[in-house]
Amino acid sequence: MINLNSKIYVAGHNGLVGSAIVRELKKKGYNNILVASKKRLNLINQSKVLKFLKKNKPAYIFLAAAKVGGIYSNKKYKADYLYENLTIQSNVINGAYLSGVKNLIFLGSSCIYPKNCKQPIKESYLLTGELEPTNDAYAIAKIAGVKLCESYNLQYKTNYTCLMPTNTFGPNDNYDELNSHFFPALIRKIHKLKNSKRNSLVLWGNGKAKREVVHVDDIANACVYFMNKKKKPTLINIGTGKDFTIEYYAKLIAKTILPQKKINIKYDLTKPNGIKRKVMDISLAKKFGWKNKIDLKKSILDTYLSFKKEIRKVK
């Protein structure tokens, strides 16, 4: 168990997942949380990362720092996604080992799994098929992170665990039109209809593709939960185990944030549907006693309230 006074370093504390981890730690009474802004510590600089870790000597590390984005950004900046993520995670993971940190949580993504693998997706499906080409650079970097943690565990007996979340949303998300994931993009699009005479919402494809989403506070809860587990597998899927169509999410978000307005959904069939279905097998996480707790409808409203605070930043 993590001592309430243990020094805990959260890398990427300003991001969607990192900020949620900080909230969860504070909620549970951990009062020795170490963070560093990019200006103070650029995680791409290997020597500075090692110096920082050796000087501050954290007992636990949550590695949530990463370069992330939507389909457009992932396709356009493949080299940046591959290089920056490989470098960040390698510097922190290797730096953790060299600094004597035995306990680390590495955050990945469900995109590490093959694009055409069986559903629900089990941890054992890793490296069994071709990756989705639109985000393969990011996925390859994250796979390398998983294998790096696994290798340190085998060779040096560390306790480095890799949690693979499904599509994550919540406070502090990215709502940029070209660089966000589908769920925050839907929230932004539907919000735009609030004070408009228009009531049409255009979805890419036919809206029938199925996706699984999970609130970021559930991810943060899983991070702290599994950090407190002494023995566990290196790779664990984190999600709800439930998936719904893009059309369902669009209607649910519209009903939640615009209950007085009837939204007419239209489909742009010239655009791709993407993978037909993507849902995680979370039986391993359940075996170790963890499952998500946050209600989808309530989490949409909470996320929307947070989004409204960020409107000036995304206009």
Side-chain angles (χ1 to χ4, degrees):
M1 295 290 290
I2 311 175
N3 187 290
L4 290 180
N5 295 315
S6 296
K7 186 176 287 187
I8 304 168
Y9 172 44
V10 180
H13 72 286
N14 284 321
L16 172 64
V17 178
S19 59
I21 292 172
V22 171
R23 289 196 303 272
E24 180 72 9
L25 288 168
K26 289 181 177 178
K27 185 175 76 173
K28 291 187 178 300
Y30 298 103
N31 52 29
N32 195 1
I33 303 170
L34 176 66
V35 298
S37 66
K38 188 174 183 179
K39 186 176 181 180
R40 178 185 169 197
L41 177 64
N42 188 338
L43 296 176
I44 290 178
N45 189 311
Q46 185 183 53
S47 61
K48 288 185 177 180
V49 171
L50 184 57
K51 183 179 178 180
F52 174 85
L53 293 175
K54 284 189 171 182
K55 178 183 177 180
N56 290 283
K57 295 180 170 37
Y60 302 88
I61 294 177
F62 291 94
L63 178 46
K67 179 177 178 61
V68 297
I71 292 176
Y72 173 83
S73 180
N74 270 276
K75 288 178 67 178
K76 188 173 177 64
Y77 305 107
K78 283 180 179 286
D80 294 345
Y81 275 88
L82 187 54
Y83 170 74
E84 290 187 31
N85 284 303
L86 281 173
T87 307
I88 288 168
Q89 64 203 30
S90 296
N91 287 346
V92 176
I93 294 167
N94 185 59
Y97 164 68
L98 293 176
S99 304
V101 181
K102 290 288 187 179
N103 301 285
L104 178 146
I105 294 283
F106 170 65
L107 272 298
S109 165
S110 60
C111 74
I112 67 170
Y113 295 110
K115 66 174 183 177
N116 294 320
C117 65
K118 295 178 182 178
Q119 304 289 325
I121 303 170
K122 296 182 179 181
E123 290 86 353
S124 60
Y125 296 165
L126 182 65
L127 295 176
T128 60
E130 183 183 356
L131 296 168
E132 166 57 42
T134 56
N135 61 6
D136 56 354
Y138 177 77
I140 288 168
K142 288 297 182 179
I143 291 169
V146 171
K147 288 300 178 181
L148 190 60
C149 287
E150 181 181 77
S151 298
Y152 275 83
N153 289 343
L154 290 170
Q155 187 171 343
Y156 298 119
K157 309 305 177 187
T158 51
N159 187 25
Y160 296 168
T161 305
C162 307
L163 301 186
M164 296 300 116
T166 187
N167 293 293
T168 306
F169 72 97
N172 209 25
D173 208 339
N174 175 17
Y175 297 92
D176 182 82
E177 287 188 4
L178 287 177
N179 202 28
S180 61
H181 294 104
F182 89 90
F183 205 85
L186 283 175
I187 291 176
R188 180 188 173 100
K189 285 182 177 181
I190 293 170
H191 169 78
K192 279 187 172 182
L193 299 176
K194 186 172 185 178
N195 298 315
S196 169
K197 292 181 180 180
R198 297 184 299 107
N199 69 340
S200 293
L201 173 67
V202 179
L203 299 181
W204 278 26
N206 60 18
K208 303 303 181 185
K210 300 184 77 175
R211 296 291 182 268
E212 173 189 12
V213 300
V214 64
H215 193 275
V216 71
D217 288 348
D218 271 329
I219 299 299
N221 177 266
C223 287
V224 178
Y225 181 87
F226 282 105
M227 185 68 93
N228 276 301
K229 288 285 183 182
K230 284 188 176 181
K231 293 184 178 181
K232 53 196 178 288
T234 296
L235 178 60
I236 306 172
N237 289 340
I238 301 296
T240 65
K242 299 177 182 178
D243 59 336
F244 303 97
T245 65
I246 301 295
E247 179 184 56
Y248 173 86
Y249 287 122
K251 289 180 177 178
L252 183 60
I253 293 171
K255 186 177 180 181
T256 302
I257 69 178
L258 295 180
Q260 306 302 322
K261 191 168 188 175
K262 185 176 181 180
I263 304 299
N264 179 29
I265 297 178
K266 296 182 178 180
Y267 304 94
D268 184 351
L269 300 180
T270 66
K271 297 294 194 298
N273 284 310
I275 299 171
K276 188 175 181 180
R277 187 186 184 206
K278 188 177 181 184
V279 61
M280 304 279 263
D281 184 317
I282 56 168
S283 56
L284 186 57
K286 286 184 175 181
K287 179 182 176 182
F288 282 85
W290 184 88
K291 63 179 181 179
N292 73 294
K293 299 175 183 177
I294 301 176
D295 176 73
L296 178 58
K297 292 181 181 179
K298 182 180 182 302
S299 63
I300 289 173
L301 183 58
D302 291 344
T303 301
Y304 179 61
L305 294 175
S306 173
F307 163 76
K308 289 201 294 184
K309 294 178 183 179
E310 299 293 317
I311 288 176
R312 289 184 181 178
K313 297 180 183 179
V314 298
K315 278 186 177 180

